[in-house]
Amino acid sequence: MNGLFSGAAARAALRSANACLAELMSSVGVTGLEAAARSAGLLAAVDQHEAGIRDSLSTDVRPLTPVILAAYAEGVRDAAFKHGWRAPEGAIDWSANDWVLTRLLAVCSLARKLPQTR
C-alpha cells in the first residue's frame, strides 16, 4: 500500500474516532462531567478510571489519540453489553456508581484533554 492510501485510511479512522467520541461526549460526557464538577466522589472515581485507562493503554510508551480512545470506549461498551449491561434510558443517575458509565466518562475526560487536530 502506498502512502496516498494509507494517509486516506488514517484520515478516515480519525474522522470515525472523532465521531465516536463526539457521540460518547453527547450521551455520557456532558452530564457526567457537569456532575463530576459538583461531586468530589465522582471526580475522584473519574480520576482513578483515567489512571486505569492510561495504564491499560500503555501511555508511557505511546500517546493517547482519538483513535485509541474511541477503540477503547467501543471495547468497554462491547464487553459490558456481552455481560448483560444496558445503558440507562433517560437521564443518567451519576450517584448510582455504575462502573461502565464511570469508565466511559473517564474516556470523555481524557478525550477532552487531547490536543485538537484537524
Side-chain angles (χ1 to χ4, degrees), residues 26-111:
S26 174
S27 63
V28 174
V30 172
T31 62
L33 293 171
E34 288 174 0
R38 294 186 309 270
S39 168
L42 180 57
L43 184 60
V46 170
D47 286 344
Q48 289 176 340
H49 278 270
E50 282 185 25
I53 292 167
R54 278 192 224 95
D55 286 347
S56 70
L57 294 176
S58 303
T59 58
D60 56 331
V61 176
R62 61 182 178 183
L64 284 177
T65 66
V67 173
I68 290 170
L69 280 178
Y72 182 85
E74 288 296 317
V76 168
R77 280 195 278 210
D78 289 349
F81 287 141
K82 235 182 236 183
H83 287 63
W85 179 86
R86 294 292 171 249
E89 294 183 19
I92 297 171
D93 176 6
W94 287 105
S95 66
N97 196 24
D98 182 311
W99 188 94
V100 174
L101 287 175
T102 307
R103 197 66 161 200
L104 294 173
L105 181 56
V107 170
C108 290
S109 181
L110 287 167

